Amino acid sequence: MAALALLPALALAKKSDRQQPMAYQARHTDAYNAPNSVTTLTGGVKITQGTLLITGDEAKIHLDADQQISRVVVTGKPAHIQQLDEANNLMTGDAATLNYDNINGIAVLTGNAAVKQQNRGEFHGDKLTYNTDTSQITGDSAGDGLVHGVILPKAKPAAGGK
């Protein structure tokens, strides 16, 4: 198994996103607003919370004992997540399955996973874990596969003056 871990960088997800309401739309819903319940969404699922956008074919929204959204599990071809960081750089992720821990801001992407960070790089593997609070990415690849990454150099300021 190959693994990749990057040290946290300065780009952090919008801190205010998890304080915003989570809205969703889908072709079908089987919804519960009760402690320790699961709402199932199917068909053209779109979930938003601040700058966070999650899309897929099916989603399960888990509420904890306090009726707070604790986790969202999305499957799709692909399941997709995107979010702006504090500097308004876009992070996107795609995989067969996305398991998003809404309490801790951890996205686990499995099955042909890819995460791209605007102006920073991209990462590919069988399983990628992205911490939206620290921007840390860890990756694993099954069998003889490898985790692939590209880290972009920091842009240099333009040369000044005439």
Side-chain angles (χ1 to χ4, degrees):
M1 168 176 15
L4 167 77
L6 297 178
L7 296 176
L10 297 176
L12 305 175
K14 294 273 187 200
K15 294 183 188 331
S16 61
D17 281 354
R18 288 199 306 267
Q19 304 307 313
Q20 303 295 318
M22 184 176 279
Y24 65 82
Q25 63 185 40
R27 288 189 187 89
H28 178 79
T29 184
D30 188 5
Y32 298 94
N33 190 1
N36 300 311
S37 64
V38 178
T39 291
T40 301
L41 311 172
T42 54
V45 174
K46 179 180 178 182
I47 300 169
T48 59
Q49 186 179 35
T51 69
L52 176 69
L53 169 66
I54 299 173
T55 61
D57 300 325
E58 179 181 87
K60 294 190 180 288
I61 300 173
H62 298 256
L63 298 183
D64 65 15
D66 294 324
Q67 291 179 252
Q68 297 297 307
I69 298 167
S70 60
R71 186 165 50 112
V72 178
V73 180
V74 181
T75 56
K77 295 182 184 69
H80 175 79
I81 183 172
Q82 66 184 52
Q83 187 172 34
L84 293 177
D85 65 20
E86 291 292 341
N88 289 321
N89 290 312
L90 182 65
M91 177 284 298
T92 62
D94 293 293
T97 302
L98 165 66
N99 188 334
Y100 181 68
D101 177 341
N102 192 53
I103 303 295
N104 298 303
I106 307 288
V108 179
L109 297 90
T110 53
N112 199 26
V115 171
K116 297 178 182 175
Q117 296 171 301
Q118 182 180 2
N119 300 322
R120 296 187 55 220
E122 63 183 77
F123 309 91
H124 303 266
D126 291 326
K127 177 182 176 184
L128 298 174
T129 302
Y130 180 75
N131 184 322
T132 64
D133 287 337
T134 65
S135 294
Q136 180 181 19
I137 296 176
T138 58
D140 295 298
S141 192
D144 293 334
L146 299 173
V147 176
H148 300 273
V150 175
I151 301 172
L152 299 176
K154 186 174 181 170
K156 295 183 179 181
K162 293 182 181 180

